[in-house]
Amino acid sequence: MKSALTAKFRAIHGRAPEIIARAPGRIEFIGNHTDYNGGTVLGAAIDRGVWVALAPRDDQQRRFSSDQRGAIVSVAVDRLERLSGDESWANYPLGVLAALPVFGVRAPAGFDYVAMSDLPAGAGLSSSAAIEMASALAFVTAAGEQPARETLVKAARHAENHFVGVPCGILDQGVSGFGRKNHLVFIDCRGPHFETVPLPGGVHFWIVNTHTKHALVDGLYAERHRECMAAARALGVQLLVEVSPAALAAGERKLSPVQAKRARHIVEEIARVDRTRAALRAGDLAAVGALLTASHRSSQMLFENSTEELDFLVDTLVATPHVHGARLTGGGFGGAVMAMTSGDFAEHHANEVAVAYGRKFGTRPDLLHAQTGDGAALLPV
Ligand code: GLA
């Protein structure tokens, strides 16, 4: 990947890059929509990601290109406005450039930039956080800054919230920033506080990407965000993390039926994250798997961000040998399901799931046997 990126950079810009940064995509392990409610969440960085190559320029132009969009997007340093159409992918790095000064970190002036990815886009693996984190690391390096990792994560999330316009929490950027091979990242989103948690040996991840995407997915994510905030307000707290199961039971009559379902999902899901940590510590993979599947059922019934396709995959996966548990991963409303399996779950098992899906829905999902990987890092040029 790195040599392909360097070759691409040379072909486009006629010189070698001076900085190369890479950041991984992530699996949301458990903690669905808990992050922006101030809750806890567990995720894993995977061995696929986004690479960014950069070399400073003497003038005031920032020139972006990617392996997926050939044309160069050229933006003057003093023009930090949101782009649309074919150029809109550049909003991720532009958003990071706009966010860095908000956190007291200098952004570089002119540069040439090329991004390359081996992360399937739209698969719920957060290619957007990966490009933000790889860009952030490349930009601060070019500007001669060395901010704390947490600052990079916050700036990348700020870019997503305020420039791209998605009211996401800190899960995706946090896992991409703090990921570690053979570990999960635990985030207490109120700090935020980041910790790595060892993953018991013999655990495998399979991602089944449906390529379905609800037409209103961005609007629906924002709607869930609003519903959760409204439920918190009605319960007299700022964020749903402050509500215990007992307080929810006592206050539920103050909520509309929809708010009550959303709040119950969040409160119970935060408890499930804690139980998952305990089960991981005990090495009890059957218990972890059951919690993952219970998380999906809660998304399906209470948070209502699943789809017929995702439910079918979870049902089929959990009925397949060597699967500990399965759940939708990420925002929902389409996208992908992840399964935690033992090493005995083989390619042919995954194929049988894909064939069953094809028989029902007429299309074949993509299968990805993902390994855990390390978080964002600079690479030698
Ligand atoms: C998306 C968001 C995350 C998180 C998940 C749902 O991936 O970007 O911040 O809210 O959805 O848990």
Side-chain angles (χ1 to χ4, degrees):
M1 197 57 157
K2 210 180 85 184
S3 56
L5 176 61
T6 303
K8 181 108 190 163
F9 196 97
R10 275 185 189 284
I12 296 174
H13 299 295
R15 60 191 178 130
E18 292 179 26
I19 294 164
I20 297 181
R22 175 196 173 273
R26 63 100 188 89
I27 295 169
E28 177 191 289
F29 188 69
I30 192 166
N32 196 231
H33 287 253
T34 52
D35 59 357
Y36 57 81
N37 287 294
T40 48
V41 58
L42 282 161
I46 60 169
D47 58 344
R48 303 274 193 121
V50 174
W51 278 252
V52 164
L54 187 144
R57 295 173 61 87
D58 292 334
D59 62 11
Q60 299 293 305
Q61 287 299 310
R62 291 165 169 162
R63 289 156 50 87
F64 301 92
S65 61
S66 84
D67 57 340
Q68 281 152 41
R69 310 268 175 186
I72 295 180
V73 179
S74 202
V75 180
V77 166
D78 55 5
R79 256 202 61 223
L80 270 179
E81 287 147 32
R82 207 186 307 186
L83 305 174
S84 55
D86 275 358
E87 296 190 332
S88 60
W89 73 268
N91 286 331
Y92 296 108
L94 282 172
V96 172
L97 290 166
L100 287 172
V102 177
F103 294 87
V105 181
R106 247 175 321 133
F111 55 74
D112 292 326
Y113 167 113
V114 177
M116 224 177 213
S117 169
D118 65 356
L119 198 57
L125 298 173
S126 214
S127 52
S128 55
I131 190 173
E132 287 157 1
M133 286 302 297
S135 301
L137 199 49
F139 293 157
V140 297
T141 308
E145 294 265 29
Q146 286 185 313
R149 173 99 349 182
E150 190 179 319
T151 307
L152 286 184
V153 166
K154 286 179 175 168
R157 179 196 174 188
H158 191 275
E160 188 88 32
N161 290 168
H162 299 282
F163 205 88
V164 180
V166 180
C168 68
I170 204 154
L171 162 69
D172 307 344
Q173 294 80 13
V175 174
S176 184
F178 283 91
R180 188 167 159 204
K181 195 168 172 50
N182 297 324
H183 286 71
L184 297 172
V185 180
F186 170 77
I187 310 177
D188 183 339
C189 302
R190 263 193 301 189
H193 168 75
F194 304 91
E195 217 178 287
T196 49
V197 174
L199 195 59
V203 165
H204 289 249
F205 292 117
W206 286 80
I207 308 295
V208 188
N209 180 13
T210 63
H211 289 289
T212 57
K213 183 176 169 176
H214 198 294
L216 300 173
V217 58
D218 291 341
L220 287 165
Y221 186 91
E223 182 182 284
R224 290 297 177 278
H225 187 279
R226 278 195 302 276
E227 288 164 351
C228 290
M229 297 306 147
R233 264 196 312 278
L235 292 166
V237 296
Q238 214 177 351
L239 293 169
L240 284 175
V241 68
E242 295 158 55
V243 180
S244 66
L248 180 61
E252 213 164 302
R253 63 187 164 73
K254 298 184 195 150
L255 303 178
S256 71
V258 165
Q259 286 171 355
K261 283 202 257 183
R262 308 299 185 247
R264 223 180 106 199
H265 166 78
I266 298 299
V267 169
E268 292 177 358
E269 183 77 349
I270 292 171
R272 264 190 295 273
V273 174
D274 276 353
R275 284 159 61 201
T276 304
R277 277 190 89 186
L280 283 167
R281 264 196 298 270
D284 186 348
L285 293 180
V288 173
L291 287 158
L292 298 184
T293 307
S295 162
H296 182 81
R297 296 302 174 212
S298 179
S299 297
Q300 178 181 353
M301 312 302 291
L302 296 174
F303 213 65
E304 296 175 294
N305 61 333
S306 187
T307 61
E308 197 191 341
E309 289 88 350
L310 300 178
D311 295 340
F312 177 84
L313 283 175
V314 169
D315 294 345
T316 310
L317 279 161
V318 297
T320 304
H322 316 303
V323 174
H324 295 301
R327 60 184 293 277
L328 69 79
T329 182
F333 308 111
V337 156
M338 73 112 190
M340 184 180 86
T341 75
S342 76
D344 293 331
F345 183 90
E347 199 80 41
H348 76 91
H349 293 110
N351 274 324
E352 281 158 26
V353 173
V355 167
Y357 183 93
R359 266 201 303 272
K360 183 155 169 77
F361 296 106
T363 56
R364 199 185 147 83
D366 278 347
L367 300 169
L368 177 68
H369 184 181
Q371 317 289 327
T372 56
D374 287 329
L378 289 171
L379 303 180
V381 176

